[in-house]
């Protein structure tokens, strides 16, 4: 439609010019002695227009010819930039696909072409990390000289240090990152892993609580992390006095307490001789949630009033009559109180449910203290046989597991 309009406009202009030329009787007189040139005005105008167009075309052609080298150079430069941009995009795609060798190659091409060299160097360093080539990692990281990319470079350095189990270095890098760009969620997650690797459990607890407020990790995972941090801190507190241990245990928030944490806490209290506190803690936990391992720990309590412990355990027995650990605990408590008959009944009942080395040893001790040597010796022998058979059983399980995982090794019969 536009071409048709231009054609109509040119036709109209031609008609207008022809009509104007028909009614125009003027002429152009050029006197160049001894010559005299007389030309119709309409023809002179047409000749002037044609001469102008011709001069314009000549000058335009000369200009294009003179600018041809620079135009070719610009075209080649533009092509190089387009190719470098494509290489950078390819490096990003290949990196996400896990094709680290090709990603490293494309990132190197983009860096050589000068297309965002800082970002290309970061991509190359990440690809080298995926290939487990530390020398290339450091080489490419050293080429990132753009201050705008410092936070990204420090994050990548911290991640690499953690993967190489250089946790102290990772903490230092993350502290430098905090001075540059503050503490965002991704950096807090990395710092949490680094502090776990360093064994800095108070800092792990602090970071876990910060991440919990920001809802940055799953609640189950955060609870597991906090439980582990408390357990390791309690184990470290065992070398301190009991006052510090009790103060720490009482400062643990109720929502961070768990069955595993109670087990670790009670073990620490028993090792420090704080049996009454351990007794109260176990009883409170078992009233809320039953656990056989915690019941077994209850049998190690040496409080001032073991009679109340026996009475409490006997109240649990009707609810858990088939719990071998509860029967073992009752047997141990009765043995401490020299209730020989009840202790033997409970220990033999536990042995009838599960043949445990601990039960055998307690029965042997019972018979020794009651001077029944002939009855004690079979239990000592059975306990010793269980210790001797345990390594052989573990070796057999390992052989079976290896045979099932390797098709070239025949499976053991049965």
């Amino acid at each position: 439609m536009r071409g048709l309009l231009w054609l109509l406009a040119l036709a109209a202009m031609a008609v207008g010019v022809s009509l104007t030329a028909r009614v125009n009787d003027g002429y152009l007189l050029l006197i160049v002695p001894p010559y005299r040139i007389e030309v119709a005005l309409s023809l002179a105008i047409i000749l002037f227009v044609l001469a102008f167009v011709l001069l314009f075309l000549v000058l335009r052609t000369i200009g294009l010819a003179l600018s041809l080298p620079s135009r070719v150079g610009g075209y080649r430069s533009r092509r190089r930039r387009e190719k470098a941009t494509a290489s950078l995009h390819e490096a990003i795609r290949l990196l996400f696909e896990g094709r680290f060798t090709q990603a490293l190659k494309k990132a190197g091409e983009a860096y050589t072409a000068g297309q965002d060299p800082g970002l290309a160097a970061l991509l190359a360093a990440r690809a080298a990390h995926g290939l487990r080539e530390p020398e290339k990692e450091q080489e490419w990281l050293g080429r990132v000289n753009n201050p705008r990319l410092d936070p990204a470079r420090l994050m990548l350095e911290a991640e690499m240090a953690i993967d190489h189990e250089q946790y102290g270095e990772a903490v230092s890098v993350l502290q430098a990152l905090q001075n540059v760009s503050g503490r965002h969620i991704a950096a807090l997650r990395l710092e949490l892993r680094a502090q776990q690797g360093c064994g800095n459990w108070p800092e792990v607890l602090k970071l876990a609580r910060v991440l919990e407020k920001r809802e940055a990790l799953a609640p189950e995972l955060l609870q597991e992390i906090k439980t582990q941090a408390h357990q390791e801190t309690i184990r470290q507190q065992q070398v301190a006095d009991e006052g510090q241990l009790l103060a720490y245990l009482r400062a643990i928030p109720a929502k961070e307490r768990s069955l595993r944490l109670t087990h670790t806490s009670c073990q620490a209290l028993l090792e420090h001789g704080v049996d009454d506190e351990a007794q109260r803690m176990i009883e409170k936990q078992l009233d809320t949630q039953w656990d056989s391992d915690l019941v077994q720990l209850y049998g190690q309590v040496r409080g001032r009033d073991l009679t109340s412990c026996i009475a409490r355990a006997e109240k649990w027995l009707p609810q858990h009559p088939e719990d071998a650990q509860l029967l073992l605990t009752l047997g141990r408590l009765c043995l401490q109180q020299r209730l020989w008959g009840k202790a033997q009944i409970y220990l033999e009942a536990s042995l009838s449910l599960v043949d445990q080395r601990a039960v055998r040893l307690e029965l042997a001790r019972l018979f020794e203290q009651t001077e029944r040597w002939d009855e004690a010796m079979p239990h000592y022998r059975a306990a010793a046989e269980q210790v001797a058979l345990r390594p052989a059983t573990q070796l057999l399980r390992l052989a079976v597991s290896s045979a099932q995982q390797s098709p070239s090794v025949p499976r053991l019969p049965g």
Side-chain angles (χ1 to χ4, degrees):
M1 180 61 71
R2 183 179 297 178
L4 180 60
L5 292 176
W6 275 107
L7 184 61
L8 292 174
L10 289 174
M13 186 182 299
V15 172
V17 170
S18 63
L19 293 176
T20 304
R22 180 178 299 178
V23 300
N24 185 13
D25 295 332
Y27 63 90
L28 178 65
L29 179 62
L30 295 176
I31 301 175
V32 181
Y35 302 101
R36 179 187 177 93
I37 303 172
E38 184 176 336
V39 181
L41 181 60
S42 301
L43 179 58
I45 294 174
I46 293 173
L47 290 176
F48 276 123
V49 171
L50 291 176
F52 176 79
V53 171
L54 182 60
L55 180 61
F56 173 78
L57 292 176
V58 170
L59 293 176
R60 179 65 175 172
T61 303
I62 294 173
L64 290 175
L66 293 176
S67 65
L68 186 59
S70 62
R71 290 168 61 87
V72 172
Y75 171 77
R76 290 178 177 175
S77 177
R78 186 168 60 254
R79 288 289 298 168
R80 284 195 299 268
R81 287 197 302 271
E82 291 174 355
K83 186 177 180 181
T85 302
S87 296
L88 190 64
H89 293 167
E90 280 292 298
I92 296 172
R93 180 182 64 83
L94 292 168
L95 187 63
F96 278 111
E97 290 181 3
R99 300 179 181 180
F100 301 118
T101 302
Q102 296 92 325
L104 180 59
K105 179 182 177 181
K106 291 295 183 181
E109 292 176 359
Y111 180 85
T112 304
Q115 178 63 31
D116 204 344
L119 180 59
L122 274 179
L123 292 172
R126 184 64 184 85
H129 179 64
L131 293 172
R132 294 292 186 261
E133 297 185 5
E135 294 181 358
K136 289 186 178 180
E137 291 175 13
Q138 298 305 319
E139 177 185 352
W140 282 108
L141 281 175
R143 298 181 183 182
V144 182
N145 52 10
N146 187 348
R148 184 174 59 88
L149 296 175
D150 281 346
R153 176 180 58 81
L154 292 172
M155 282 288 291
L156 185 56
E157 284 186 15
E159 184 180 353
M160 290 176 177
I162 290 173
D163 289 343
H164 293 312
E165 298 184 357
Q166 299 171 351
Y167 301 110
E169 181 180 346
V171 171
S172 301
V173 171
L174 289 169
Q175 289 175 352
L177 173 65
Q178 181 179 353
N179 297 330
V180 173
S181 62
R183 303 173 75 184
H184 52 84
I185 290 178
L188 289 173
R189 289 174 179 168
L190 280 181
E191 187 176 358
L192 178 64
R193 292 172 56 192
Q195 296 291 0
Q196 282 180 299
C198 291
N200 189 358
W201 302 109
E203 191 65 26
V204 169
L205 272 174
K206 186 186 301 183
L207 290 169
R209 288 165 180 165
V210 172
L211 289 171
E212 184 179 28
K213 290 180 180 178
R214 300 189 182 186
E215 299 181 352
L217 288 175
E220 297 80 7
L221 178 58
L222 283 169
Q223 182 63 31
E224 179 67 23
I225 291 172
K226 288 187 287 186
T227 298
Q228 182 190 15
H230 282 304
Q231 286 180 309
E232 296 299 331
T233 305
I234 290 169
R235 293 188 181 105
Q236 293 173 4
Q237 291 284 349
Q238 290 182 18
V239 298
D241 57 43
E242 63 182 64
Q244 291 179 349
L245 178 61
L246 285 171
Y248 181 82
L249 293 178
R250 290 166 181 167
I252 298 175
K255 65 178 182 179
E256 295 181 5
R257 299 180 184 273
S258 65
L259 183 60
R260 285 169 46 206
L261 184 56
T262 301
H263 195 281
T264 304
S265 302
C266 293
Q267 281 183 324
L269 289 170
L270 291 174
E271 290 181 10
H272 276 79
V274 193
D275 294 75
D276 294 336
E277 184 68 24
Q279 175 186 344
R280 287 192 293 270
M281 189 176 294
I282 293 173
E283 290 173 352
K284 182 178 179 181
Q285 181 65 45
L286 290 177
D287 288 339
T288 305
Q289 182 181 2
W290 185 258
D291 181 70
S292 296
D293 294 334
L294 201 58
V295 170
Q296 185 178 6
L297 202 62
Y298 191 66
Q300 301 176 17
V301 172
R302 299 294 178 265
R304 291 186 295 270
D305 187 11
L306 289 180
T307 304
S308 63
C309 293
I310 295 172
R312 190 67 173 262
E314 286 178 339
K315 289 182 180 180
W316 294 329
L317 189 57
Q319 303 172 4
H320 308 280
E322 302 297 323
D323 195 320
Q325 302 300 332
L326 176 57
L327 292 168
L328 172 60
T329 294
L330 279 167
R332 282 174 169 169
L333 293 173
C334 292
L335 190 60
Q336 290 295 319
Q337 289 294 94
R338 298 180 178 273
L339 301 174
W340 312 121
K342 293 182 69 174
Q344 182 176 351
I345 291 173
Y346 287 131
L347 290 173
E348 289 178 346
S350 176
L351 187 63
S352 66
L353 293 173
V354 181
D355 189 355
Q356 301 180 75
R357 179 173 175 271
V359 180
R360 294 280 188 182
L361 291 175
E362 293 295 341
L363 279 170
R365 287 179 52 212
L366 169 63
F367 292 138
E368 273 191 355
Q369 293 182 19
T370 55
E371 299 182 354
R372 296 151 66 183
W373 314 108
D374 295 338
E375 297 181 54
M377 290 307 299
H379 290 292
Y380 275 128
R381 282 195 295 269
E385 289 174 358
Q386 290 180 0
V387 174
L389 287 174
R390 188 176 303 168
T393 304
Q394 293 176 351
L395 183 61
L396 180 62
R397 289 177 180 172
L398 180 61
V400 172
S401 175
S402 300
Q404 291 175 349
Q405 292 177 0
S406 177
S408 61
V409 179
R411 296 187 181 182
L412 296 176

